[in-house]
């Protein structure tokens, strides 16, 4: 059951699209995700505002990488209004719990045209940053560049996981 604003009911294809997205995420099923994306879909990552992923082929491939890195995904019931819905999800990245919110917009055909992820806490997000971009880079640009991205991103994940152990004790 979703919570919907009565002044502006959900677009007819929104709830089925979100339900399919949640099911695809919980089952780590990139093929199922591909079926609900518009050809010109745009995905905004929580890792950087410098790039976004565009097109159903690239967004599907990215989610295969995401599903390989984030384990034990679970989702919540969505909130909807008009052509937009949100739901939260959680999972584990290298043993750290990641909590996130997915903001989804659909077109008139009920296909996802845009979605944005917001995530927390920072140590889990930094671990995701150290884990996912090397995998995506290796797929898109080759193993050598993937290794370079891993070398650049790994210290951030380590630093924030370490800080998360000590800083709260000092606050």
């Amino acid at each position: 059951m979703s919570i919907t604003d009565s002044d502006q009911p959900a677009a007819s294809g929104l709830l089925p699209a979100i339900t399919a997205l949640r099911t695809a995420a919980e089952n780590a099923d990139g093929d199922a995700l591909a079926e609900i994306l518009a050809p010109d879909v745009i995905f905004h990552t929580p890792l950087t505002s410098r790039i976004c992923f565009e097109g159903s082929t690239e967004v599907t491939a990215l989610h295969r990488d995401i599903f390989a890195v984030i384990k034990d995904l679970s989702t919540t019931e969505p909130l909807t209004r008009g052509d937009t819905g949100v739901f939260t999800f959680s999972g584990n990245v290298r043993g750290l719990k990641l909590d996130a919110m997915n903001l989804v917009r659909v077109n008139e055909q009920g296909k996802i045209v845009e979605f944005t992820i917001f995530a927390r806490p920072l140590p889990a997000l930094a671990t995701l940053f150290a884990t996912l971009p090397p995998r995506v880079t290796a797929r898109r640009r080759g193993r050598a560049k993937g290794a370079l991205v891993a070398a650049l991103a790994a210290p951030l994940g380590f630093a924030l996981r370490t800080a998360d152990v000590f800083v709260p004790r000092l606050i």
Side-chain angles (χ1 to χ4, degrees):
M1 179 175 147
S2 70
I3 300 172
T4 304
D5 185 311
S6 60
D7 292 341
Q8 189 175 11
S12 63
L14 179 60
L15 285 175
I18 289 177
T19 299
L21 175 58
R22 291 175 56 215
T23 301
E26 290 175 352
N27 294 322
D29 186 351
D31 294 330
L33 178 75
E35 296 176 17
I36 59 172
L37 300 177
D40 58 346
V41 63
I42 297 173
F43 177 83
H44 303 278
T45 171
L47 302 179
T48 180
S49 61
R50 295 185 180 269
I51 61 170
C52 63
F53 294 85
E54 298 182 34
S56 60
T57 301
E58 182 58 33
V59 172
T60 298
L62 173 65
H63 276 79
R64 287 188 180 108
D65 292 330
I66 290 169
F67 297 153
V69 170
I70 302 176
K71 304 297 182 190
D72 304 319
L73 276 167
S74 62
T75 66
T76 63
E77 292 295 318
L79 302 172
T80 62
R81 183 173 185 184
D83 65 352
T84 305
V86 296
F87 64 92
T88 63
F89 65 90
S90 62
N92 293 298
V93 181
R94 291 189 176 172
L96 296 177
K97 185 176 181 203
L98 178 73
D99 295 310
M101 184 184 76
N102 199 335
L103 175 66
V104 178
R105 192 170 55 82
V106 298
N107 62 17
E108 299 80 26
Q109 293 77 41
K111 299 288 186 179
I112 297 173
V113 293
E114 183 176 20
F115 55 114
T116 304
I117 306 284
F118 303 93
R120 66 165 304 277
L122 191 53
L125 186 58
T127 301
L128 182 63
F129 186 76
T131 307
L132 184 60
R135 182 182 181 92
V136 173
T137 302
R139 173 179 51 81
R140 295 173 84 194
R141 310 237 189 267
R143 294 176 103 173
K145 288 187 179 172
L148 175 61
V149 169
L152 293 170
L156 177 63
F158 175 76
L160 286 171
R161 285 190 307 275
T162 302
D164 190 48
V165 171
F166 295 106
V167 171
R169 295 177 186 172
L170 300 173
I171 295 177

